[in-house]
Amino acid sequence: MNFLLSAAFVLCWSSGFIGAKLGAGSASAVTVLMWRFLPLAVVLLVFVVVSRAWRGLAPRDLGRQALIGVLSQSGYLLTVYHAIQLGVSSGTTALIDGVQPLVAGALAGPLLHQYVSRRQWLGLCLGVAGVVVVTGADAAASSGVAWWAYLIPFLGMLSLVAATFLEGRSRTEVAPSVAMTTHCLTSAVVFTALAVGTGSSVPPAEPAFWGAIAWLVVLPTFGGYGLYWIILRRSGVTRVNTLMFLMAPVTAVWGALMFGEHFGVQTAVGLALGLVAVVVVQRQSVPAHA
């Protein structure tokens, strides 16, 4: 896998947790998410219609992409933002999401026939060990956060895994521009409905809010989310999800620098384990098959 592409993906995806923290300081989760996706969906929809990139796609294909959008954006992001607003640190939220590669790796064989080799399993287990180490450190440093708040990001992780496999089982190749437009349009509808229904649709006037929105649109949406699907198609489920192990330590470092979140020896150890996990899996040139 191209190193620069992978590095850009890790940084951009990690930026989403930081953007959620920035937005949480000025508005509710659904308000931030509504204004993150509503203007973006309009712009993308106009581009796709003008370019006629949707030609040749059946309603069933678009319906599948809409469902993928609900799972990979609406479900995933709502849990992440809600957990952060409940007080879970951005680093811990990313760490909990870090178990995704193990779940995806375990299911890749029976669902997609992309079987995981022993070397890849070793890397996945090392990555999980790193996640456990850093999660323990962050949870011990936190206070005043309900224990059940740490379970919410797990729901988002499962939602993203489901979307990944739904995309992997698709037999129709959808242009990235159409896929992203459909996902963003679906998310815009979902989050606008939630915001209006809860009386949270009016955005605050603070410049910090719009700064967070700009951050979220440019970095995690176009950069992180777009690169996720590109790398998934080029390299498969196991390798793209192994990169997710790096989100936790990168976000922990980022959160420590920007927000003063906890970063100690255990976090550094977890970072090292995550790096080793990625190296082990990425050096596996040919995935094993049954």
Side-chain angles (χ1 to χ4, degrees):
M1 183 186 302
N2 184 276
F3 173 77
L4 293 178
L5 196 65
S6 301
F9 166 64
V10 171
L11 288 174
C12 289
W13 191 280
S14 298
S15 71
F17 298 99
I18 304 301
K21 184 83 170 183
L22 291 171
S26 55
S28 68
V30 291
T31 304
V32 174
L33 289 167
M34 170 186 170
W35 289 103
R36 171 181 175 176
F37 285 104
L38 187 58
L40 177 62
V42 173
V43 173
L44 289 175
L45 184 60
V46 170
F47 171 78
V48 169
V49 170
V50 171
S51 65
R52 300 182 65 83
W54 50 268
R55 288 181 298 177
L57 293 177
R60 180 179 179 180
D61 299 325
L62 295 176
R64 176 185 286 268
Q65 289 301 317
L67 179 56
I68 291 173
V70 169
L71 293 170
S72 64
Q73 281 191 348
S74 305
Y76 174 72
L77 292 175
L78 188 59
T79 57
V80 167
Y81 280 56
H82 187 49
I84 289 176
Q85 289 209 324
L86 288 173
V88 181
S89 72
S90 58
T92 301
T93 304
L95 295 167
I96 295 173
D97 283 340
V99 302
Q100 177 190 343
L102 186 61
V103 176
L107 297 175
L111 292 181
L112 299 180
H113 305 293
Q114 297 179 11
Y115 292 94
V116 181
S117 69
R118 291 180 180 179
R119 184 189 183 105
Q120 289 175 320
W121 273 118
L122 173 61
L124 292 172
C125 290
L126 285 172
V128 170
V131 168
V132 171
V133 169
V134 188
T135 301
D138 281 4
S142 301
S143 60
V145 180
W147 64 269
W148 51 266
Y150 291 91
L151 300 179
I152 295 176
F154 279 105
L155 299 177
M157 177 271 296
L158 293 174
S159 183
L160 184 57
V161 169
T164 301
F165 285 107
L166 185 61
E167 168 69 21
R169 292 177 66 88
S170 176
R171 296 182 179 180
T172 303
E173 185 171 345
V174 179
S177 60
V178 176
M180 177 169 284
T181 299
T182 307
H183 299 175
C184 290
L185 183 60
T186 304
S187 295
V189 171
V190 171
F191 292 132
T192 299
L194 287 174
V196 172
T198 57
S200 306
S201 60
V202 179
E206 291 91 339
F209 172 81
W210 295 108
I213 294 298
W215 174 295
L216 290 167
V217 169
V218 175
L219 293 176
T221 303
F222 282 111
Y225 191 74
L227 287 173
Y228 179 85
W229 297 110
I230 291 174
I231 296 174
L232 174 67
R233 294 180 181 183
R234 291 180 57 177
S235 305
V237 171
T238 301
R239 293 194 177 188
V240 69
N241 280 284
T242 303
L243 291 173
M244 300 296 283
F245 281 130
L246 293 178
M247 306 304 174
V250 168
T251 304
V253 173
W254 208 336
L257 294 174
M258 287 191 66
F259 308 117
E261 294 178 349
H262 175 74
F263 186 91
V265 175
Q266 284 182 256
T267 305
V269 172
L271 170 61
L273 287 172
L275 290 172
V276 172
V278 173
V279 170
V280 168
V281 175
Q282 298 300 326
R283 289 185 64 183
Q284 178 72 25
S285 58
V286 181
H289 294 274

